[in-house]
Amino acid sequence: MLIQVKNLSKVYQDDGVATTALNRVSFSIEEGEFVAITGPSGSGKSTLLHVLGFLDRHTSGEYLFESKNSAEYSEKELAQIRNKKMGFIFQAFNLLPRTSVLENVKLPLLYSDMPRAQWDNLSKKAIEAVGLSHRLEYEPAQLSGGEKQRVAIARALVNDPKIIFADEPTGNLDSKSGKTVMEILQKLNLEQNRTILLITHETYTAEHAQRIIHIVDGEIDSDRAVENWHKAEDGFKK
């Protein structure tokens, strides 16, 4: 089991006032799954992603990553796991503005133990996977929104992570670009067996996943398989 959470809660304290963002959430994700977390604004979706991605600590309950309790990891170990085993894609792209596509994708390798001699090849392979080999030397200002997000996906791939966390990856895109991004994520799941956890408020986007967990007020409202989801001949869901 890649991810398992048991009665997971997250409570924020602000001037003595407690706000519960997650309330006793329990579920598991197997390696190779494509899971979407949905729910209205303020439901706890992004908080859950931050906890699962070791960007924040939970308040109570258990979070096991690769069968090891996250409470047993030091901060240094958590940082190493984030770099080596997790890839992140955010709505705002988070690309360095005056830096080429190739150099943006290389960024996670700066903090890895990968030999520098391999950085170019690894980055170019990741860029090829998202169909942007013809944009290697372009800077973000020269790219469309959809292309920027594809660069962000390549950057998330470059360290060959166990899981990709995608937080509203189509939120800043038009419908056509959003569809392209989701097809790339689905293809990575189907053809490379990448585990993907998607955060989205869009029903159409969520249905690219195999499974949808719906959260309301910090609690799981439903956890269901997507009907008619299958491995189509061309690698995409029909």
Side-chain angles (χ1 to χ4, degrees), residues 136-198:
L136 285 181
E137 300 305 323
Y138 281 49
E139 295 181 0
Q142 298 172 287
L143 303 175
S144 67
E147 287 174 330
K148 290 176 185 176
Q149 195 59 290
R150 286 155 67 186
V151 175
I153 294 172
R155 183 182 57 196
L157 283 173
V158 74
N159 266 341
D160 193 23
K162 286 272 189 179
I163 184 169
I164 293 174
F165 294 101
D167 193 357
E168 299 281 5
T170 62
N172 283 340
L173 305 179
D174 59 56
S175 58
K176 182 178 179 181
S177 297
K179 183 174 183 290
T180 298
V181 164
M182 290 311 304
E183 287 178 344
I184 288 172
L185 290 177
Q186 196 173 52
K187 186 174 183 179
L188 291 171
N189 171 251
L190 292 171
E191 297 184 1
Q192 298 185 15
N193 201 38
R194 299 279 179 185
T195 309
I196 297 174
L197 183 71
L198 167 73

Side-chain angles (χ1 to χ4, degrees), residues 98-110:
R98 288 177 291 279
T99 306
S100 71
V101 165
L102 181 61
E103 294 302 318
N104 264 288
V105 172
K106 279 185 191 178
L107 284 174
L109 298 172
L110 294 173

Side-chain angles (χ1 to χ4, degrees), residues 53-67:
F54 294 145
L55 300 172
D56 198 2
R57 291 275 195 176
H58 56 284
T59 305
S60 62
E62 291 184 308
Y63 169 26
L64 283 72
F65 183 80
E66 294 186 315
S67 301

